[in-house]
Amino acid sequence: DQQVKQNSPSLSVQEGRISILNCDYTNSMFDYFLWYKKYPAEGPTFLISISSIKDKNEDGRFTVFLNKSAKHLSLHIVPSQPGDSAVYFCAASAANDYKLSFGAGTTVTVRA
Amino acid sequence: GAVVSQHPSWVICKSGTSVKIECRSLDFQATTMFWYRQFPKQSLMLMATSNEGSKATYEQGVEKDKFLINHASLTLSTLTVTSAHPEDSSFYICSAMPGQGYGYTFGSGTRLTVV
């Protein structure tokens, strides 16, 4: 049973514009959420995280928004750059449980 | 920053042989490491949690006798795929958490192809 869902398998955006990636989860015990970026044949690289006590966390061009009532989070990348082209994974964990549940990923392509 | 080194990055082996994958935390101690498997265009699926000095905890559906995990030190965990078959061909990734608030650091992954 997929507890973390990324319903958009791909996203194409023009350079300089905003990329918005969405993620939904079903487990109400999840309280920590992370976004990872992954290139082919490489391990994921940590981007940004947010705990359930916040609804927004910002780090440079990356901002994550959390809507607990909707069990939804999103990652905003602005402005999008060609180097942002990669697969982005949403992940979540529950309190006192270090296991991560991953979404299926969204492939972002930034067009010049 | 925290680095997890994983080797080999790719390996091709014959069906029936065993393959060992190493995962090392280079600049921190990891009492717990995690092993994931990823099929093409799919999510990372947790296979097992590796605990230093004790037995690994396997996720449901993962054969512990096939995927042997050893975590003998605070900086090294190994995954051995025993009697590999073509269906074991996949991308295997390890991860560890350097500490609270640091997020999980992943290795670079191992592409296993069984022929």
Side-chain angles (χ1 to χ4, degrees):
Chain A
D1 180 31
Q2 196 77 7
Q3 298 185 76
V4 178
K5 299 178 183 179
Q6 292 175 257
N7 292 319
S8 297
S10 64
L11 171 69
S12 180
V13 64
Q14 195 166 7
E15 182 179 2
R17 307 296 285 266
I18 185 171
S19 294
I20 300 177
L21 292 82
N22 294 303
C23 177
D24 298 291
Y25 61 97
T26 57
N27 189 340
S28 58
M29 300 302 291
F30 287 151
D31 67 348
Y32 190 60
F33 305 88
L34 309 92
W35 284 94
Y36 285 86
K37 177 180 180 180
K38 184 181 182 300
Y39 294 113
E42 293 184 13
T45 302
F46 172 73
L47 272 179
I48 192 169
S49 63
I50 188 168
S51 83
S52 59
I53 62 173
K54 295 185 176 182
D55 55 17
K56 176 184 176 181
N57 188 25
E58 189 173 354
D59 183 2
R61 297 186 297 115
F62 303 93
T63 302
V64 56
F65 296 91
L66 175 62
N67 182 333
K68 291 187 291 293
S69 61
K71 293 190 177 68
H72 176 84
L73 62 155
S74 62
L75 174 68
H76 292 206
I77 306 173
V78 56
S80 299
Q81 299 174 353
D84 295 332
S85 295
V87 179
Y88 290 78
F89 288 96
C90 170
S93 68
N96 300 320
D97 184 354
Y98 295 130
K99 298 178 187 177
L100 284 182
S101 295
F102 282 85
T106 298
T107 300
V108 173
T109 303
V110 180
R111 310 185 309 271
Chain B
V3 177
V4 172
S5 176
Q6 186 173 342
H7 293 280
S9 56
W10 60 270
V11 58
I12 301 173
C13 71
K14 290 185 177 180
S15 187
T17 62
S18 295
V19 174
K20 180 186 283 188
I21 303 169
E22 290 189 350
C23 182
R24 293 181 184 273
S25 56
L26 295 188
D27 47 6
F28 65 97
Q29 294 181 332
T31 55
T32 303
M33 289 186 176
F34 304 90
W35 287 96
Y36 292 84
R37 181 176 182 177
Q38 185 190 22
F39 291 104
K41 298 186 185 299
Q42 293 189 28
S43 178
L44 284 77
M45 300 301 297
L46 179 65
M47 298 175 64
T49 302
S50 169
N51 302 297
E52 187 268 336
S54 64
K55 291 182 179 180
T57 304
Y58 290 82
E59 295 300 300
Q60 191 173 11
V62 178
E63 299 177 59
K64 62 180 181 180
D65 294 330
K66 180 165 189 62
F67 299 100
L68 299 179
I69 290 173
N70 184 279
H71 195 156
S73 77
L74 287 170
T75 59
L76 174 64
S77 175
T78 60
L79 168 68
T80 301
V81 183
T82 63
S83 187
H85 290 285
E87 57 265 30
D88 298 324
S89 299
S90 190
F91 192 60
Y92 294 87
I93 311 173
C94 68
S95 78
M97 190 166 71
Q100 288 286 359
Y102 286 89
Y104 296 77
T105 299
F106 284 81
S108 54
T110 298
R111 169 69 61 192
L112 170 64
T113 302
V114 185
V115 298

